[in-house]
Amino acid sequence: MEKAVEVRDLTVAYRDNPVLWDVDLDVSSGTLMAIVGPNGAGKTTLIKAILGLVKPAAGQIRVLGKPYQEVASSVGYVPQRGSVDWDFPTSVIDIVLMGLYGRLGWIRRPRRKEHEEAMIALEKVGMVDFAHRQISQLSGGQQQRVFLARALVQNAHLYLMDEPFQGVDATTEHAIIEILRTLRSSGTTVLVVHHDLQTVSSYFDEVLLLNVRKIASGPVSDVFTDTNLRLTYGGRIAIIRGTM
């Protein structure tokens, strides 16, 4: 099967401290994959390395068969909500239109066609009625939906999402996973940093278990085992899983 992401021998270090060490990963096209591991495991760093936002100390990464810079317009990114300045004075529709800047450039202004595309994306996440609301006036779940719409408007072949379910209510979480399943059904690949072990089996096709090194990756039914989870989380797994 064609690979959406290929990572080989990836090592990333901050001030000589390895955050990722010798990681190999293949993500098949049309897959919904979770990246799972404890705090400090390198999950966000892996996403940023794939996006070219951090420089590896060693290793190679190919996205959609090419270096990321050559296919950047085909990749959508949803960052952690906590990394965004939500007090910045801008509206919901303007945030979504930012997802089109890769196509438009920073000089050309969005026109009617782009505004229509942005409204379609907002409709998909149930936020049309909030199009002209200031983002600072939204709840956490609504803000996350807006950032998802900003990614969706790109019509990307690959989406990288950093904890999209964090801090959202159950209704928003259900809406997001349905959108991700729709993307997968259309052949789109989605790679998600995820923290809730209870939902991995029901939400995802494949999983990467990561703790600086890759512990295991592959189909959830094969990889998401108690043995691998103990290797990933150590003694904390009994508390996290609640059934061991």
Side-chain angles (χ1 to χ4, degrees):
M1 185 178 292
E2 182 183 349
K3 299 295 187 295
V5 178
E6 298 172 86
V7 177
R8 294 289 176 268
D9 305 319
L10 177 66
T11 295
V12 178
Y14 296 141
R15 297 182 180 177
D16 298 325
N17 295 317
V19 181
L20 294 171
W21 185 261
D22 200 25
V23 172
D24 290 331
L25 177 66
D26 289 327
V27 183
S28 299
S29 296
T31 297
L32 188 50
M33 174 180 268
I35 304 173
V36 171
N39 291 336
K43 304 184 296 295
T44 294
T45 299
L46 176 59
I47 291 286
K48 289 183 175 180
I50 293 170
L51 291 166
L53 298 176
V54 298
K55 185 177 180 180
Q60 295 182 331
I61 301 172
R62 293 183 73 80
V63 178
L64 304 174
K66 299 178 180 180
Y68 171 75
Q69 291 76 9
E70 296 182 19
V71 294
S73 62
S74 297
V75 180
Y77 173 44
V78 178
Q80 286 186 9
R81 195 172 62 85
S83 67
V84 177
D85 179 8
W86 294 106
D87 292 325
F88 187 78
T90 190
S91 68
V92 165
I93 189 70
D94 286 338
I95 289 288
V96 178
L97 286 168
M98 289 178 187
L100 294 171
Y101 286 172
R103 182 205 309 172
L104 294 174
W106 291 96
I107 298 177
R108 182 181 157 202
R109 294 180 61 82
R111 298 186 179 181
R112 179 184 225 171
K113 178 177 181 294
E114 285 77 33
H115 277 268
E116 289 174 352
E117 291 178 35
M119 292 299 287
I120 290 171
L122 284 171
E123 185 176 6
K124 290 178 180 177
V125 301
M127 290 293 292
V128 168
D129 292 340
F130 296 83
H132 301 291
R133 188 80 60 88
Q134 291 289 305
I135 57 169
S136 60
Q137 298 173 348
L138 304 181
S139 69
Q142 290 169 338
Q143 290 170 346
Q144 193 69 310
R145 288 180 186 232
V146 171
F147 258 59
L148 182 57
R150 186 186 71 164
L152 292 177
V153 79
Q154 296 177 245
N155 290 319
H157 299 299
L158 169 67
Y159 286 98
L160 305 175
M161 304 188 181
D162 198 348
E163 301 211 29
F165 303 112
Q166 187 176 41
V168 304
D169 57 35
T171 300
T172 297
E173 180 163 331
H174 179 74
I176 291 174
I177 193 60
E178 288 304 314
I179 289 168
L180 301 192
R181 287 169 175 160
T182 300
L183 290 171
R184 176 190 58 191
S185 296
S186 67
T188 303
T189 308
V190 187
L191 190 56
V192 178
V193 174
H194 191 62
H195 69 279
D196 182 6
L197 299 185
Q198 304 297 331
T199 56
V200 169
S201 296
S202 58
Y203 284 3
F204 298 97
D205 309 314
E206 298 193 0
V207 61
L208 164 66
L209 296 175
L210 184 69
N211 193 346
V212 182
R213 295 177 180 270
K214 182 180 84 171
I215 306 302
S217 67
V220 171
S221 57
D222 297 337
V223 169
F224 198 65
T225 65
D226 290 345
T227 297
N228 284 336
L229 287 169
R230 284 195 179 96
L231 290 172
T232 306
Y233 289 91
R236 288 169 290 175
I237 192 60
I239 299 173
I240 295 170
R241 290 273 268 187
T243 58
M244 301 173 60

